[in-house]
Amino acid sequence: MADDPEEGMLSWDESVFRDEHVFEIDYVPETFKHRDTQTQNLTYALRPAVRGSRPLNVMVRGPPGTGKTTAVQKLFDEVGTQTSDVRTIRVNCQVNSTRYSVFSRLFEGTFDYEPPSSGISFKKLFGQIADKLVEDDRVLVVALDDVNYLFYENEASDTLYSLLRAHEEYPGAKIGVIVVSSDPTLEVIDELDSRVQSVFRPEEVYFPVYDQPEIVDILDERVRKGFRDGVISRNTVERVADRTAESGDLRVGIDLLRRAGLNAEMRGSRTVEMEDVDAAYEKSKYINLSRSLSGLSDTERALLEVIATNDGGQAGEVYETFHEETALGYTRYSEIVNKLDQLGLIDADYADIEGRGRSRSLSLSYDKEAVLDRLE
């Protein structure tokens, strides 16, 4: 590598990035590519709200990293520029996975301040939200993002029932719901109580995995906005696209570009090379794992660590170790096992054990070291 900065070395105050925020998870692109049909369907469902009526309910499905959250956020931003008579609130159910916490976020979005941390019942919380909507003659559109987490905690039916039946208890309250699920195995309608199924008749909008040309097109735009001219070659971008296509998650590619840029800077290089991409992929490929772990409670993380150290062990044996560490009973243990299985963090498969009948073996869905490193 040359020592002359003019021959490829960065100085201390230089960067390969034009705008590093372009590669961050919360960045909303100005142009939203290859999702025209999905955007049109969402717009169709929300159009009545702009006219002061209750919108159609929507179920948005698709694997992680296919543009679901971005589509909803872009649409909410557009509605906000058109009218002040529609309140749009997106709730991250990975963080807010109970009915009360969901409505706490709705309260905050309605009144622009948080509700009291204690001493207020759900009924009162809900009543204040509904009364405010009726008083202001506003339509509320709620997006339950990552709604699958409400299902994992058995909170989905109660939450949706309260939202969908609001107009019965509070005449004049107009609320529409968008549920967004990233769990391809979750049959949202089938898993809801019959009392909710009878009123939740959503429009369905599906987001498929991006194909290779679409990935290249989207990454090209991020490169133009995020990197300085000449930093990354076409061949290197295509390597990133290949890695992204392997994962099926666009977020892997975007994170990979950022980490590859940081690797280049660590080398003092003005250009991002293949070696930077390959080194970065070892971390970027676990972006879904890191995201799933970030939403786990201390108890859930403790069980996952026990499973990691007893990878492939029988459920009963794993429980004994878990119980020694937490003193929790088998019912709660079983609930957490089911949640970790639904999240795709573990595989809980039944097998015939000689002399013991059928039992579940618990094994990690990811590399053991990758899990343990991220649990620290």
Side-chain angles (χ1 to χ4, degrees):
M1 186 179 293
D3 294 327
D4 185 349
E6 296 302 318
E7 294 184 24
M9 290 290 291
L10 286 171
S11 62
W12 281 101
D13 60 349
E14 288 184 302
S15 173
V16 298
F17 295 103
R18 189 195 312 275
D19 181 3
E20 194 172 344
H21 179 55
V22 167
F23 303 112
E24 293 177 359
I25 197 69
D26 60 346
Y27 176 77
V28 179
E30 293 178 15
T31 56
F32 188 42
K33 297 185 173 185
H34 308 296
R35 288 295 181 252
D36 290 346
T37 299
Q38 290 80 4
T39 300
Q40 289 170 7
N41 290 339
L42 284 168
T43 301
Y44 168 79
L46 263 66
R47 195 178 301 278
V50 179
R51 298 194 292 263
S53 300
R54 187 180 297 109
L56 302 177
N57 298 313
V58 185
M59 179 169 61
V60 175
R61 297 191 307 110
T66 51
K68 301 182 298 298
T69 298
T70 300
V72 171
Q73 192 59 58
K74 293 282 285 186
L75 183 59
F76 278 10
D77 290 345
E78 185 177 339
V79 169
T81 63
Q82 292 187 18
T83 178
S84 60
D85 295 331
V86 179
R87 173 79 73 172
T88 57
I89 304 174
R90 184 180 73 86
V91 180
N92 180 353
C93 297
Q94 184 181 12
V95 177
N96 303 284
S97 58
T98 67
R99 180 177 67 162
Y100 193 91
S101 62
V102 166
F103 276 83
S104 293
R105 299 289 71 76
L106 298 183
F107 183 99
E108 183 180 1
T110 301
F111 293 97
D112 296 322
Y113 59 86
E114 293 186 3
S117 57
S118 62
I120 180 170
S121 68
F122 171 77
K123 184 176 178 61
K124 185 175 182 180
L125 187 74
F126 186 16
Q128 290 181 353
I129 296 169
D131 288 342
K132 181 65 173 174
L133 291 175
V134 174
E135 178 186 338
D136 294 345
D137 193 24
R138 271 185 166 179
V139 179
L140 173 63
V141 182
V142 179
L144 299 176
D145 203 359
D146 277 329
V147 72
N148 33 297
Y149 283 87
L150 290 181
F151 283 92
Y152 302 156
E153 300 296 340
N154 296 316
E155 294 274 351
S157 289
D158 286 344
T159 303
L160 283 169
Y161 185 82
S162 297
L163 290 168
L164 297 170
R165 295 283 191 178
H167 62 282
E168 296 178 0
E169 190 169 353
Y170 303 94
K174 290 172 281 191
I175 300 176
V177 180
I178 300 174
V179 299
V180 184
S181 173
S182 295
D183 184 346
T185 68
L186 177 66
E187 296 294 340
V188 172
I189 302 299
D190 293 345
E191 293 295 325
L192 291 169
D193 292 351
S194 59
R195 64 195 173 113
V196 182
Q197 291 179 357
S198 64
V199 293
F200 187 50
R201 308 279 184 176
E203 300 290 306
E204 185 168 341
V205 182
Y206 183 72
F207 285 67
V209 172
Y210 291 106
D211 63 27
Q212 182 83 3
E214 291 171 342
I215 291 171
V216 171
D217 191 28
I218 294 168
L219 294 183
D220 272 342
E221 183 176 9
R222 297 290 177 112
V223 165
R224 287 195 299 271
K225 291 181 178 295
F227 285 126
R228 298 189 184 279
D229 294 341
V231 163
I232 186 168
S233 70
R234 181 68 180 182
N235 286 342
T236 307
V237 172
E238 290 181 354
R239 171 70 67 88
V240 174
D242 289 341
R243 295 293 202 181
T244 306
E246 289 172 15
S247 70
D249 187 339
L250 184 65
R251 294 173 303 184
V252 169
I254 294 169
D255 186 71
L256 185 50
L257 286 172
R258 180 170 184 254
R259 290 182 184 276
L262 292 172
N263 285 350
E265 289 190 336
M266 285 293 291
R267 294 191 298 107
S269 174
R270 293 175 181 272
T271 57
V272 176
E273 305 296 341
M274 293 288 190
E275 63 188 86
D276 299 311
V277 172
D278 292 340
Y281 184 63
E282 291 307 307
K283 291 186 177 180
S284 293
K285 68 180 179 181
Y286 290 120
I287 190 171
N288 273 332
L289 171 61
S290 298
R291 185 169 180 268
S292 295
L293 293 181
S294 69
L296 297 182
S297 67
D298 290 343
T299 303
E300 292 161 349
R301 293 171 71 90
L303 177 54
L304 188 60
E305 186 170 357
V306 171
I307 294 172
T309 54
N310 296 271
D311 199 9
Q314 297 303 306
E317 297 166 355
V318 172
Y319 168 68
E320 291 177 6
T321 304
F322 176 69
H323 178 70
E324 289 175 4
E325 292 188 9
T326 65
L328 290 175
Y330 195 87
T331 299
R332 181 55 184 152
Y333 163 74
S334 184
E335 290 173 348
I336 299 174
V337 167
N338 290 336
K339 178 177 179 178
L340 297 179
D341 188 21
Q342 290 169 322
L343 282 171
L345 291 170
I346 67 170
D347 295 312
D349 299 320
Y350 281 95
D352 291 319
I353 307 300
E354 186 176 353
R356 298 174 57 182
R358 290 177 62 78
S359 176
R360 282 197 293 186
S361 63
L362 308 180
S363 57
L364 295 175
S365 301
Y366 292 89
D367 178 75
K368 176 181 176 179
E369 295 306 318
V371 173
L372 291 174
D373 286 349
R374 286 159 179 78
L375 283 173
E376 291 181 354

